[in-house]
């Protein structure tokens, strides 16, 4: 069990053990839920709409579906080629 203290501003530092167990990193969002008087904290799950553009990188080349298929095929041909 990990324990934290609430500051006068209502802030809590999530103990390292808990952050590691939940895979939390700076900037991540968490959800709070109260169940039968207990507080449940979980990593925020994103909807499809919220994930749109997450992988976008400025100046990154776009690929067509056909180009992605070919790159995947090439990867697997090289990975499993006969020795």
């Amino acid at each position: 069990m990990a324990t934290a203290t609430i500051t006068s501003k209502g802030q809590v530092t999530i103990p390292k053990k808990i952050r590691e167990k939940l895979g939390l990193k700076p900037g991540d969002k968490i959800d709070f839920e109260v169940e039968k008087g207990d507080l449940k904290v979980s990593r925020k799950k994103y909807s499809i709409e919220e994930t749109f553009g997450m992988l976008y990188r400025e100046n990154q080349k776009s690929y067509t579906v056909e180009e992605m298929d070919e790159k995947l095929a090439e990867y697997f041909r090289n990975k499993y080629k006969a020795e």
Side-chain angles (χ1 to χ4, degrees):
M1 176 184 270
T3 303
T5 303
I6 300 174
T7 69
S8 61
K9 293 183 180 182
Q11 298 171 332
V12 175
T13 299
I14 300 170
K16 184 178 180 182
K17 256 199 258 185
I18 303 301
R19 292 192 315 264
E20 288 173 347
K21 190 169 186 168
L22 292 175
L24 295 172
K25 297 176 197 74
D28 284 351
K29 300 206 181 282
I30 55 175
D31 287 327
F32 296 93
E33 187 176 339
V34 177
E35 291 182 358
K36 298 179 184 174
D38 291 328
L39 177 64
K40 178 181 173 187
V41 179
S42 59
R43 185 171 215 205
K44 178 163 176 40
K45 293 179 177 59
Y46 293 95
S47 69
I48 292 295
E49 291 82 16
E50 291 174 304
T51 60
F52 181 78
M54 275 182 133
L55 301 178
Y56 172 78
R57 299 292 181 266
E58 196 171 325
N59 300 322
Q60 181 178 7
K61 181 185 180 331
S62 297
Y63 293 95
T64 64
V65 171
E66 291 78 15
E67 289 172 316
M68 288 187 271
D69 286 345
E70 179 52 40
K71 290 288 185 188
L72 283 168
E74 181 181 327
Y75 169 80
F76 285 111
R77 277 194 303 270
N78 290 332
K79 183 173 181 173
Y80 297 108
K81 66 183 172 184
E83 297 187 20

